[in-house]
Amino acid sequence: MQIALIGIGKIANYQMQAITHTPGIKLVDAHDLDANKAEELPGSVNFHDNLEKMLNKSAADAFLVSTPTPSHFEVAMQVIESDRIAIVEKPICTSQSEMDALLTAARTRKLPLYTAFHPAYGREVDWWREQRDAQNFDLGALLGFDTCFADPYYIDGKLTLGAVGKAGAWSDSGISGLSALSRLIDPNSMELVDGRMTVIPSLACSQVQGLAVYSFVEQNNMAYGMVDTNWTLGKNYKTTRLRYENGLVNLDHAKEIATLSLSGQDPLVFNLATDKPRLVNHYCGVFSDLTEMFGKGEDNTELSEVLHRLLFAALHH
Ligand SMILES: NC(=O)c1ccc[n+]([C@@H]2O[C@H](COP(=O)([O-])OP(=O)(O)OC[C@H]3O[C@@H](n4cnc5c(N)ncnc54)[C@H](O)[C@@H]3O)[C@@H](O)[C@H]2O)c1
């Protein structure tokens, strides 16, 4: 599979590293509004200063939209309207009406549409899925979850440079939490119970904090969990706690560590980090899944639709 990159920013470096580690995928072209970004590219990748020309000329099978979140909709729509396949960074857009328009545009043209849900491919998430499916620990039924995605993007009353390119705490990280959870519980069974957003009108972001409570169905029982996103805590803290009948599983997404606490026993700690940065590990998962789906003529639109509906429902609660 050959792909082209649109937006050569902070995340592009991790994406390019992951592409070199993933068999079956190659970066051939790239575009950024800022021509200086061409310097970030390896010699084998052609830089284009005009998106329309790249979309017309490139031999790429799909175009990865890695521009700032508020521009995803417009750029992804341009890709689709050029009859080319889009892979869009999460969140795919910032409202339900934009989501509906993207889905209609892709479906009308019978084009696959991919969303890059990198946090879903955390090594700690994969590890817990394997342990759970092999029934290696007797934890009983899942009773609830508590997910937190915090970044230090609001310090001393101002947004930090890390917030550049993001839409807001909930918009950017709510979807991260939901995508990680979708690999652990059935997202189709999730429903919004409550959404609480903190908006500071003087700041150039949609919200600095956002929390949503969801119900979900586990073994025919109704259970509850919350996704908390926060830019004001002053730290990089990303975790999912899964509460079971007989204990607790804590997945530390920032450190790639899983901790298992069975009732009455000392916690077991599993360090799943590798010599590669966490984000490179994530994008290796994204690209290997992408090439597999592309090979089979599939996409992840259905999952993306479900997760974004849960995301946007909390915004307007
Ligand atoms: N930074 C992270 O840790 C991270 C992690 C995962 C996902 N993401 C997502 O990736 C996307 C990009 O984030 P980033 O941190 O790399 O942003 P960034 O601001 O560092 O980079 C964005 C790049 O896109 C270019 N650009 C802006 N508008 C454009 C347009 N219309 N057409 C072409 N190029 C354009 C900019 O010149 C810049 O080089 C965001 O949606 C973000 O949520 C970021």
Side-chain angles (χ1 to χ4, degrees):
M1 183 178 189
Q2 298 195 335
I3 66 164
L5 181 60
I6 307 173
I8 312 165
K10 294 186 284 291
I11 200 60
N13 171 30
Y14 298 99
Q15 293 168 334
M16 289 193 278
Q17 283 185 60
I19 288 171
T20 63
H21 291 298
T22 311
I25 188 160
K26 197 175 154 200
L27 182 64
V28 289
D29 291 302
H31 159 73
D32 196 293
L33 289 180
D34 177 357
N36 293 320
K37 297 292 176 108
E39 288 166 21
E40 314 274 325
L41 300 171
S44 56
V45 179
N46 300 311
F47 180 81
H48 301 253
D49 57 11
N50 182 299
L51 177 57
E52 195 184 338
K53 284 189 188 148
M54 181 168 87
L55 288 168
N56 287 334
K57 277 185 15 195
S58 175
D61 298 298
F63 295 75
L64 172 55
V65 179
S66 278
T67 59
T69 300
S71 64
H72 286 181
F73 172 72
E74 193 189 330
V75 178
M77 202 52 130
Q78 189 177 345
V79 174
I80 296 168
E81 286 180 342
S82 306
D83 254 320
R84 308 301 305 255
I85 298 172
I87 310 159
V88 191
E89 258 305 328
K90 57 84 206 167
I92 193 167
C93 57
T94 55
S95 71
Q96 188 62 49
S97 57
E98 288 181 351
M99 179 86 203
D100 294 341
L102 285 174
L103 291 171
T104 304
R107 283 174 182 151
T108 310
R109 289 171 181 78
K110 296 195 168 45
L111 287 169
L113 177 60
Y114 301 96
T115 312
F117 289 121
H118 79 85
Y121 299 92
R123 288 177 52 78
E124 65 295 339
V125 177
D126 280 341
W127 178 85
W128 180 239
R129 277 169 60 92
E130 283 163 27
Q131 302 305 314
R132 184 194 62 180
D133 296 350
Q135 300 185 328
N136 286 345
F137 300 97
D138 181 20
L139 279 160
L142 179 63
L143 302 179
F145 65 81
D146 163 1
T147 290
C148 179
F149 272 67
D151 287 289
Y153 294 164
Y154 177 76
I155 292 174
D156 294 337
K158 292 193 201 99
L159 293 181
T160 63
L161 279 179
V164 174
K166 313 279 184 344
W170 178 253
S171 304
D172 281 274
S173 302
I175 196 70
S176 300
L178 286 166
S179 67
L181 283 166
S182 74
R183 304 208 51 230
L184 303 164
I185 59 179
D186 177 8
N188 291 300
S189 81
M190 288 174 74
E191 275 180 37
L192 183 80
V193 176
D194 196 4
R196 303 168 203 153
M197 304 290 136
T198 307
V199 178
I200 300 179
S202 58
L203 294 178
C205 68
S206 314
Q207 54 303 111
V208 285
Q209 177 275 342
L211 180 147
V213 179
Y214 295 100
S215 64
F216 66 103
V217 178
E218 186 74 14
Q219 296 175 11
N220 296 322
N221 288 319
M222 181 82 98
Y224 294 88
M226 71 169 184
V227 180
D228 179 23
T229 64
N230 206 324
W231 284 0
T232 73
L233 298 180
K235 60 180 176 181
N236 175 12
Y237 177 67
K238 301 184 170 67
T239 177
T240 294
R241 281 192 198 90
L242 301 163
R243 195 162 57 84
Y244 289 87
E245 274 173 324
N246 304 329
L248 192 73
V249 174
N250 186 16
L251 304 177
D252 185 328
H253 307 299
K255 295 186 179 141
E256 302 178 290
I257 289 176
T259 308
L260 190 86
S261 309
L262 281 158
S263 305
Q265 294 182 23
D266 287 342
L268 302 170
V269 180
F270 301 87
N271 188 346
L272 302 154
T274 66
D275 57 340
K276 297 193 195 77
R278 163 184 91 93
L279 286 168
V280 173
N281 287 334
H282 289 190
Y283 279 99
C284 286
V286 168
F287 291 125
S288 109
D289 214 15
L290 175 72
T291 47
E292 199 181 319
M293 284 189 283
F294 181 72
K296 291 184 190 160
E298 294 171 355
D299 65 11
N300 64 354
T301 308
E302 222 170 281
L303 173 69
S304 188
E305 194 174 3
V306 171
L307 297 184
H308 283 89
R309 197 170 287 284
L310 291 168
L311 179 82
F312 299 137
L315 270 185
H316 303 296
H317 191 263

